[in-house]
């Protein structure tokens, strides 16, 4: 008779930020982005296409994140949406590398984060394909918290486009 391992005890981060909370934070960030973009309508024609592509792929990730975190895992729909999410996350990081850093700097910290995302998204896919559920979940949560929510928060300082639109 096969034995079943007891379920792993949730980490402190899982208890502090369960998937529902991360999903709600993604929805909230999307709402703030929509408000900022709407408020900046007078400047839309001046915005380079790469920034529009970056915002569009970010919106896809922000819409799918709560869906992916709260729905059933591992089924066909999860895998399909996961490919879209991973592709949009990877494209978001790639497009961010085409945006010049603020303040005349050569490289921004966001560029380093983008390179990290470009490496981690393929790792995320390999973990899913290998059925490494723990590693896959950890990588997803790391990307959502670090590359989506924290990085998203830092798009709103006054010297950045969304911040100017939102607070301008």
């Amino acid at each position: 008779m096969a034995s079943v391992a007891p379920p792993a005890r949730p980490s402190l981060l899982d208890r502090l930020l369960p998937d529902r909370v991360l999903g709600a934070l993604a929805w909230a960030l999307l709402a703030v982005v929509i408000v900022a973009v709407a408020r900046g309508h007078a400047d839309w024609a001046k915005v380079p296409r790469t920034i529009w592509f970056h915002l569009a792929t970010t919106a896809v990730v922000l819409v799918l994140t709560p869906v992916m975190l709260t729905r059933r895992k591992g089924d066909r729909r999860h895998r399909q949406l996961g490919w879209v999410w991973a592709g949009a996350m990877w494209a978001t990081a790639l497009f961010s590398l085409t945006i010049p850093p603020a303040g005349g700097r050569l490289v921004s910290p966001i560029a380093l984060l983008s390179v990290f995302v470009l490496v981690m998204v393929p790792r995320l896919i390999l973990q899913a394909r290998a059925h490494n559920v723990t590693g896959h979940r950890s990588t997803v949560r790391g990307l959502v918290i670090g590359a989506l929510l924290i990085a998203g928060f830092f798009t709103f300082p006054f010297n950045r486009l969304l911040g100017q639109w939102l607070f301008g």
Side-chain angles (χ1 to χ4, degrees):
M1 178 156 90
S3 64
V4 176
R9 186 170 173 228
S11 70
L12 177 62
L13 187 58
D14 286 335
R15 290 192 305 265
L16 291 175
L17 290 171
D19 289 347
R20 287 184 310 278
V21 171
L22 292 178
L25 290 170
W27 280 121
L29 182 58
L30 178 61
V32 174
V33 168
I34 289 169
V35 169
V37 170
R39 289 182 52 114
H41 65 87
D43 296 330
W44 287 359
K46 300 176 206 167
V47 177
R49 284 187 189 164
T50 56
I51 292 178
W52 285 118
F53 289 138
H54 178 71
L55 284 170
T57 56
T58 301
V60 170
V61 171
L62 287 170
V63 166
L64 286 179
T65 294
V67 174
M68 297 297 294
L69 290 175
T70 58
R71 72 176 308 282
R72 181 184 162 143
K73 313 290 190 285
D75 63 5
R76 182 177 169 193
R77 177 57 103 200
H78 180 82
R79 290 188 303 274
Q80 290 170 335
L81 292 175
W83 278 108
V84 175
W85 187 91
M89 187 67 131
W90 200 82
T92 299
L94 190 62
F95 284 126
S96 75
L97 293 174
T98 68
I99 300 169
R105 287 178 281 163
L106 188 59
V107 177
S108 80
I110 292 177
L112 299 174
L113 178 62
S114 296
V115 170
F116 178 74
V117 170
L118 292 172
V119 170
M120 293 307 288
V121 168
R123 180 173 186 234
L124 171 81
I125 293 167
L126 292 173
Q127 289 169 328
R129 294 184 60 83
H131 303 284
N132 178 354
V133 174
T134 303
H136 179 74
R137 176 175 165 72
S138 176
T139 302
V140 166
R141 291 177 59 80
L143 286 169
V144 168
I145 293 167
L148 188 61
L149 297 176
I150 293 173
F153 173 79
F154 284 106
T155 62
F156 293 102
F158 296 100
N159 63 335
R160 303 194 45 105
L161 180 65
L162 289 179
Q164 290 170 0
W165 284 352
L166 186 63
F167 302 114

